[in-house]
Amino acid sequence: MTEIRGTVLMDLDGTISDPAIGIFASFRHAVESVGHPWPNDRPLDWIIGPPLRESFGTVLGGDAELGAQALEHYRRHYAAGAMFENALYPGITEAIAALDGSGFRLFVATSKLTGFAERIIGHFGLAGRFAGVYGSSLDGRIDQKGDIIALCLANEAVDPARCIMVGDRKHDVLGAVANRLPCVGVSWGYGGADELAAAGAALICDRPAALPDAVRTLMARGATAGGSPAPA
């Protein structure tokens, strides 16, 4: 039986897969449905990572009622098939397999609704690699990355001293730091190396093939949350 070397929490959007087509289409559908169309020439990269409630609040001027309506439109459109307008990053399947095969226990920790995340992981044939999927709740009580990580740590009896977060946005890094975890920031997603470094990522990884070694390096040195990142 393979010895458990530690636990790795992995973000989904921008880390495991690129969800831009489906998320952007659903977001545009949602805001148009509440009377605030988003022009096609205005970027939407910034909505991948933060909780959707915050993004709708930004676009809709903080109108909570409109935001709730937009969120419902988004979820219906996304559930109807847009969630699968999504693609794995080249090499990430092999990286996940290498981590799983070398004794790390893996969990998904995402701001996406848990049900959506489970369906996407299953769609890509990755469910067998992960011991569980943790995401946001329908009622909005749990949608911040720090709270999602904390829920996983508590439910799964994870030792924070033997756990690492992997993600592409500052929200992943800050959520990890709030739970006293180091974070491997991945620069192929939607945050970029500068955002990740500023947030306090312990390591910056620039390609999926380098991720297993980055995790092993960080686990072996017993890195603590925060500090100056090094490239991997």
Side-chain angles (χ1 to χ4, degrees):
M1 185 175 181
T2 303
E3 180 184 358
I4 301 298
R5 300 177 62 182
T7 302
V8 180
L9 312 184
M10 295 189 70
D11 175 50
L12 177 55
D13 294 342
T15 299
I16 294 174
S17 68
D18 185 349
I21 294 175
I23 286 180
F24 293 172
S26 296
F27 192 90
R28 287 194 170 95
H29 168 79
V31 294
E32 183 174 1
S33 295
V34 297
H36 290 259
W38 188 265
N40 288 333
D41 61 349
R42 291 182 66 185
L44 278 173
D45 288 5
W46 58 274
I47 72 170
I48 298 180
L52 276 168
R53 292 176 194 275
E54 293 182 7
S55 299
F56 283 124
T58 298
V59 170
L60 301 173
D63 188 316
E65 183 177 350
L66 270 187
Q69 293 173 17
L71 187 57
E72 287 305 311
H73 285 294
Y74 175 96
R75 287 173 174 171
R76 285 196 292 270
H77 187 274
Y78 197 66
M83 71 172 76
F84 301 129
E85 294 176 358
N86 196 345
L88 292 173
Y89 287 106
I92 197 66
T93 299
E94 293 79 5
I96 291 169
L99 288 168
D100 180 36
S102 57
F104 290 101
R105 187 168 61 145
L106 308 180
F107 292 91
V108 173
T110 173
S111 293
K112 190 183 293 298
L113 283 178
T114 301
F116 286 157
E118 288 173 339
R119 290 179 65 185
I120 291 166
I121 290 296
H123 172 74
F124 287 128
L126 294 172
R129 297 293 186 185
F130 291 93
V133 176
Y134 284 82
S136 61
S137 60
L138 272 170
D139 60 11
R141 289 185 304 109
I142 298 176
D143 66 356
Q144 298 295 321
K145 185 54 70 79
D147 294 335
I148 293 163
I149 293 171
L151 182 63
C152 179
L153 297 181
N155 283 0
E156 305 295 340
V158 174
D159 178 3
R162 302 294 298 163
C163 184
I164 290 170
M165 180 69 200
V166 177
D168 71 307
R169 295 299 310 271
K170 65 182 181 181
H171 311 81
D172 301 304
V173 182
L174 297 175
V177 170
N179 286 280
R180 302 179 62 82
L181 306 181
C183 183
V184 175
V186 301
S187 62
W188 58 78
Y190 284 85
D194 290 345
E195 175 182 302
L196 292 163
L203 285 175
I204 304 293
C205 183
D206 64 3
R207 64 193 192 285
L211 183 59
D213 281 345
V215 168
R216 293 185 194 108
T217 296
L218 200 52
M219 194 71 76
R221 79 184 192 194
T224 55
S228 300

